[in-house]
Amino acid sequence: MARLPHLSTSLRALSVGVVAGFALAAVGFQVAAYADDGGLFAPAETTRVLPGTDVAAASSVGIDLGEVPEGASEAWLQVTARPSDGAGELRLCGDGATCADPAVVATSPDRTAADLVRVPVGDDLTLSATSATRVYADLVGFTVGPGADDGASFVSQVPTRAAEGLELGERSSAVVPLEGVPAGSVAAAVTLTVSDAAAPTYVALCAAGGEDSTCSRTSAISVDDAEERTVSTIVPVDSSGEVLVYNNGGAARVDLDVTGWFVPGTDGATYVPSSARAQGTATVWAPRTFDLDVPEGTTAALAQVTLSGAWRPAQLAACPGDAIQGACADSRVASTHATPGRGATTTAVLPVDDQGRVTVQAHDASVRVRIDVLAVFAGGPVTPAPEPTPTPEPTPTPKPTPTPEPSPEPTPAPEPTPTPEPSPEPTPEPTPEPTPEPTPEPTPTPSPEPPAGGQPGPSNTGVPAGTQLQVHQGDLTVTQPGTVIDGLDVRGIVRVRAADVTIRNSIVRGNGAITFSTGLVHNYSTGLEIIDTEIAADVRTSSVNGVMGSNMTLTRVDIHNVVDQVHVYGAGNVVVRDSWLHDNFHDEDDPNWGGGPSHDDNVQIVSGRGIRVTGNTLEGAYNAGVQVTQDGGRVSDVVVSGNWASDGGCTINLAESGVGALTGISVTDNVFGTGQRVPGCAIVRPASSPVTLDGNTWAASGEEVVAKRG
């Protein structure tokens, strides 16, 4: 292999990279060792070097690594820890009391911890704890010099799923061939995900060919519940590129993703540690590209990935380049559970393209992502970015008689919504947009009726399966009364300025360029009906709601990826029924709330009367499932009935906002989950407002819900 150029002169220009609105602070790399050729990784047979040991707060224990390869500079350890007495840290040092930059593993009182750490090899390897916990450590390898006989270099690949939904019972194991790993490899970088555990358990990874009894003395991850947990690690492989996966406790499901493999010698990329960290932070749901400041020739980065601010457990996928495609989008590199004010950190191998880019995507909830680059693998074959798969657009059926373009109507002044709720459209449009002539709505395409009955969800809301959609690029302003939008995929926002408009069998995505508070569908008129439609922002921001306005009916609508799914202001006269409102955008540092967390709701009512929210699934909001305030005027005659509802601080939050008592409010026959941030707070109501409450129950127990007084 050609020698790497000296990294002090081959770095990219240390400018601030900006990709998809994300700025990365450039701090640069300085090589801690192996300036010309980098180092190699010497895998070790997975060996327990610290058995289960109780470490008291502010105390230390020593770790004996056994035989260390000559010239080794670092030991790589997989560390697991039981729930601690309080939020704290494990600190590992390779040079005793003088340790200035320890390896750190975060511990928590409500979950187990697991992480891959690198510790400088010294005469006195110690582990200390800030909160009491029980700790285990397994040796997986060493960093050695470029000429070491037992060293290996790294070959990265687009993350590939090697095992999916592998079911393992108590004290059982399976041999898993690692997708893409060639024969002759000595180790692999993998991500292990454990879910649906029937009882507390731990899962270990070892080279295939070993015995269960030996592998069971180590652990890659420990779980105490059925939530999905993820850890990235390095595991030795046998000569055929297979690993042994061992499960000790309750039956569980296992996924295994492969990021790359290690080959003997220097045919792959060499390992270059860093004495500085490149840092970046962004809130992620849809794919988000991080432009990492890494040396030229980098094929993968060893990074700390920190996830925080999720309203429920979330997972993160990572792919090289500026797109996320196929199986790569389903891979896992990190996960977190919902812990206010505290994040979860995983050390993972992130593949990058030849421009140092990695794209991440969240699953299950938006989450704040921070990436700190600790080291890189440079000089090997560059991981290609996945090629996007073009989706052919169906040929639309032309409309026999196009609707003529009407004269533009002046933009009506938006109805004010007092602070803190953003005004529905604080920046008036200077000129109205006419209904586009080139792409009138297509002839309605017959589509199967959506499944009837049952809890609203992915099978019976949104665009019915089999419906053909015609793409409409750009915003769409409707000014012709009685217009029917049927079978459109709108890559913009829809403004309704005419009476009796219908939107059905369509998707509204937005255009990613919205900088003022508005809805993907914003109704300024009367008689709007939205039926069997999906409304979801392709680019999620704190400025985008789902549907805003008054005088409208929503039926079997799937709304997600927005702040408020339905935002009612003005006169009211709104019906939301049989719909699925879920997965709100949430930002822990929302500029609309002074840098505090977003106040996202499934349904927010700031003024109006004659409002019906019936038979819906309401989930995924940080603030409330139904939030009633009077910030924009009096609220009365509201019925919330027959919904499946969960999450939020309190799921249904009724507030007077100093305007006077609410009148005609009825909350009946709703079934509540237990995902509230305030435990047991399904309904909170003002003591001075009469509210009809009847038939509200908890899903788990069937017991009656007792409303709290606010």
Side-chain angles (χ1 to χ4, degrees):
M1 185 188 78
R3 292 168 65 89
L4 289 174
H6 196 287
L7 294 177
S8 63
T9 59
S10 65
L11 290 177
R12 293 193 184 95
L14 298 183
S15 60
V16 176
V18 180
V19 177
F22 167 70
L24 178 67
V27 296
F29 270 73
Q30 296 177 0
V31 179
Y34 323 128
D36 290 330
D37 292 322
L40 301 176
F41 176 76
E45 180 179 354
T46 307
T47 305
R48 177 134 291 175
V49 293
L50 183 68
T53 303
D54 292 321
V55 185
S59 66
S60 300
V61 297
I63 297 178
D64 183 4
L65 295 177
E67 186 175 350
V68 177
E70 184 177 352
S73 61
E74 295 174 322
W76 296 58
L77 302 175
Q78 185 68 31
V79 177
T80 57
R82 302 297 301 159
S84 54
D85 284 353
E89 293 179 343
L90 301 176
R91 297 173 179 170
L92 291 91
C93 297
D95 51 1
T98 62
C99 178
D101 187 20
V104 174
V105 177
T107 58
S108 168
D110 53 6
R111 72 177 298 178
T112 58
D115 204 6
L116 177 68
V117 300
R118 305 161 304 139
V119 186
V121 173
D123 295 332
D124 187 13
L125 178 58
T126 61
L127 179 148
S128 62
T130 61
S131 295
T133 185
R134 187 171 181 84
V135 187
Y136 308 78
D138 299 308
L139 177 69
V140 298
F142 296 93
T143 302
V144 295
D149 293 338
D150 53 355
S153 53
F154 183 68
V155 179
S156 69
Q157 71 172 10
V158 173
T160 304
R161 179 64 48 89
E164 183 167 13
L166 176 64
E167 296 184 359
L168 293 176
E170 182 179 354
R171 291 187 174 88
S172 66
S173 65
V175 173
V176 176
L178 298 185
E179 184 72 22
V181 177
S185 302
V186 293
V190 301
T191 299
L192 170 69
T193 301
V194 179
S195 60
D196 299 330
T201 186
Y202 68 83
V203 177
L205 298 175
C206 305
E211 299 292 332
D212 284 9
S213 58
T214 301
C215 196
S216 67
R217 299 190 187 105
T218 67
S219 60
I221 194 170
S222 180
V223 297
D224 286 338
D225 53 39
E227 286 185 0
E228 188 168 286
R229 302 291 172 82
T230 295
V231 67
S232 294
T233 189
I234 295 175
V235 59
V237 299
D238 70 357
S239 59
S240 60
E242 296 179 331
V243 298
L244 178 70
V245 184
Y246 172 84
N247 177 57
N248 187 72
R253 293 168 60 88
V254 170
D255 298 337
L256 200 62
D257 298 308
V258 184
T259 308
W261 60 90
F262 291 86
V263 294
T266 57
D267 289 340
T270 52
Y271 167 78
V272 183
S274 167
S275 59
R277 292 180 177 177
Q279 300 179 1
T281 304
T283 298
V284 171
W285 170 261
R288 190 74 174 260
T289 300
F290 286 70
D291 190 358
L292 303 181
D293 178 57
V294 293
E296 292 180 1
T298 294
T299 59
L302 184 72
Q304 280 188 343
V305 181
T306 302
L307 306 184
S308 61
W311 62 269
R312 68 177 177 184
Q315 295 76 39
L316 197 73
C319 302
D322 62 357
I324 197 157
Q325 297 286 334
C328 183
D330 295 325
S331 66
R332 300 289 188 268
V333 295
S335 67
T336 187
H337 69 332
T339 305
R342 194 161 65 246
T345 299
T346 298
T347 300
V349 176
L350 304 180
V352 300
D353 68 0
D354 57 0
Q355 298 182 49
R357 299 174 301 180
V358 60
T359 295
V360 298
Q361 175 177 320
H363 293 272
D364 301 326
S366 59
V367 65
R368 193 78 168 164
V369 179
R370 170 174 170 156
I371 296 179
D372 295 336
V373 176
L374 307 176
V376 299
F377 295 97
V382 173
T383 303
E387 290 292 332
T389 303
T391 303
E393 296 180 4
T395 303
T397 303
K399 187 173 181 179
T401 307
T403 302
E405 183 178 356
S407 301
E409 297 180 9
T411 302
E415 300 188 37
T417 302
T419 305
E421 277 299 322
S423 172
E425 195 171 65
T427 305
E429 299 165 34
T431 56
E433 299 180 37
T435 303
E437 179 68 24
T439 54
E441 69 272 9
T443 299
T445 303
S447 56
E449 287 295 322
Q455 180 175 348
S459 66
N460 55 5
T461 64
V463 181
T467 303
Q468 291 191 338
L469 301 178
Q470 176 185 343
V471 173
H472 173 87
Q473 292 288 352
D475 295 349
L476 181 60
T477 299
V478 182
T479 57
Q480 181 68 35
T483 296
V484 175
I485 297 172
D486 191 344
L488 284 190
D489 182 346
V490 182
R491 310 294 173 86
I493 64 177
V494 178
R495 300 179 182 90
V496 179
R497 303 192 184 279
D500 303 324
V501 171
T502 300
I503 302 172
R504 66 189 181 204
N505 304 326
S506 296
I507 297 177
V508 183
R509 304 176 184 269
N511 55 24
I514 299 172
T515 58
F516 53 90
S517 183
T518 191
L520 293 178
V521 177
H522 207 144
N523 186 36
Y524 299 96
S525 191
T526 60
L528 172 65
E529 289 204 27
I530 307 176
I531 307 167
D532 297 330
T533 288
E534 181 178 1
I535 299 170
D538 273 356
V539 178
R540 291 155 51 104
T541 77
S542 57
S543 298
V544 178
N545 294 315
V547 181
M548 295 184 69
S550 291
N551 303 305
M552 54 192 180
T553 298
L554 283 63
T555 306
R556 296 187 301 275
V557 180
D558 174 3
I559 313 179
H560 56 106
N561 295 5
V562 294
V563 180
D564 292 347
Q565 273 95 14
V566 179
H567 188 103
V568 180
Y569 72 95
N573 302 317
V574 171
V575 175
V576 183
R577 62 191 177 200
D578 304 330
S579 294
W580 184 29
L581 313 185
H582 63 109
D583 288 306
N584 300 61
F585 171 83
H586 180 72
D587 190 350
E588 282 294 300
D589 304 310
D590 190 337
N592 293 317
W593 290 92
S598 303
H599 287 205
D600 42 280
D601 308 294
N602 298 129
V603 179
Q604 168 132 15
I605 305 167
V606 299
S607 64
R609 66 183 310 278
I611 299 163
R612 304 290 182 263
V613 181
T614 61
N616 306 284
T617 297
L618 309 173
E619 58 185 351
Y622 177 86
N623 190 57
V626 177
Q627 173 71 65
V628 176
T629 71
Q630 299 185 111
D631 294 333
R634 298 299 295 269
V635 174
S636 64
D637 186 19
V638 176
V639 173
V640 180
S641 182
N643 301 285
W644 291 264
S646 189
D647 307 321
C650 297
T651 302
I652 296 180
N653 190 334
L654 310 175
E656 296 174 352
S657 302
V659 177
L662 302 167
T663 59
I665 309 297
S666 173
V667 181
T668 62
D669 301 320
N670 300 286
V671 178
F672 289 91
T674 55
Q676 298 83 12
R677 288 183 292 111
V678 178
C681 189
I683 305 168
V684 61
R685 49 161 297 191
S688 56
S689 291
V691 177
T692 300
L693 299 168
D694 185 51
N696 300 297
T697 59
W698 293 105
S701 65
E703 295 179 356
E704 181 183 0
V705 166
V706 177
K708 297 183 180 295
R709 299 280 181 142

